[in-house]
Amino acid sequence: MAEMNNTSGNRHEGKRRSIKKSTRVDMTPMVDLGFLLITFFMLTTTMAQPKTLNLLMPRTDGEPMKLGESKALTVILGPNNRVVWYEGMDTDPQIHHTSFANKNGIRDILISKKAAVMEKFHSNDLMVLIKADKTANYKNLVDIMDEMLINKIDRYAVTDITPQETAWFSK
């Protein structure tokens, strides 16, 4: 609470002077309120929301979807941040090596393949098959899924890698 002290001295009895009053404000209630507010906000605030990516898994019932070779692009993630890609779903394709960071990396390849499919078929029917080797980084899988979102590629699937595709990383 606030407290006021009056000091009156009888030194000058004949003269009227203004009375000097000193004030002292008790800060305890304000400090208590501050700590209560800090505690309230610390307990009611969520520190960090987990960031997740929605992944739609294919249905197991029904017939498999037919896909044209010219609309498909296969991306294989390997060890040491290496990326191999080829067009179509051939058993003996012409493979190309790339990475995430350099020019003509996987983003440029996705953009050019999407543009080629749009030009040829007048629709956004590009299908990207993503395959990851057992020694691939999890970060690379997240990065390639981010590339699908950035480039607005709606049709992609994470599939199993074949032994033949695994052998391409030893070359």
Side-chain angles (χ1 to χ4, degrees):
M1 298 272 190
E3 180 180 301
M4 297 182 77
N5 294 330
N6 291 334
T7 57
S8 61
N10 291 337
R11 288 184 285 168
H12 305 287
E13 289 185 22
K15 299 180 183 175
R16 282 189 78 90
R17 290 194 163 208
S18 64
I19 299 173
K20 306 275 185 187
K21 296 181 180 180
S22 73
T23 59
R24 182 182 159 275
V25 178
D26 188 10
M27 299 296 285
T28 306
M30 190 165 65
V31 171
D32 288 344
L33 181 64
F35 278 110
L36 283 173
L37 286 172
I38 289 170
T39 305
F40 172 76
F41 286 117
M42 282 178 49
L43 294 176
T44 59
T45 303
T46 55
M47 293 299 172
Q49 293 288 340
K51 296 179 182 178
T52 60
L53 178 67
N54 291 334
L55 180 62
L56 300 174
M57 299 303 289
R59 293 175 48 182
T60 56
D61 59 339
E63 294 185 27
M65 181 176 69
K66 303 264 191 251
L67 181 64
E69 289 286 324
S70 57
K71 295 181 182 180
L73 179 71
T74 303
V75 177
I76 305 167
L77 307 173
N80 301 325
N81 300 327
R82 292 173 55 197
V83 180
V84 171
W85 65 275
Y86 61 89
E87 294 187 50
M89 299 177 298
D90 290 339
T91 55
D92 189 28
Q94 181 177 354
I95 63 169
H96 306 276
H97 294 272
T98 189
S99 69
F100 285 97
N102 63 1
K103 183 155 175 66
N104 295 328
I106 196 66
R107 179 177 290 178
D108 294 334
I109 293 161
L110 289 170
I111 291 170
S112 63
K113 181 65 176 176
K114 182 179 175 183
V117 169
M118 286 287 285
E119 182 180 321
K120 187 173 183 180
F121 298 103
H122 303 291
S123 65
N124 188 11
D125 287 340
L126 174 62
M127 177 68 179
V128 179
L129 301 173
I130 302 168
K131 300 180 179 187
D133 188 41
K134 290 180 182 179
T135 57
N137 290 340
Y138 180 73
K139 179 188 176 299
N140 289 345
L141 183 64
V142 172
D143 288 345
I144 195 70
M145 307 253 314
D146 284 343
E147 291 295 334
M148 298 297 125
L149 290 174
I150 291 168
N151 294 308
K152 295 180 178 69
I153 297 174
D154 299 327
R155 297 176 54 190
Y156 59 90
V158 179
T159 61
D160 293 329
I161 190 168
T162 64
Q164 177 188 8
E165 291 167 338
T166 305
W168 292 338
F169 289 106
S170 61
K171 293 180 183 179

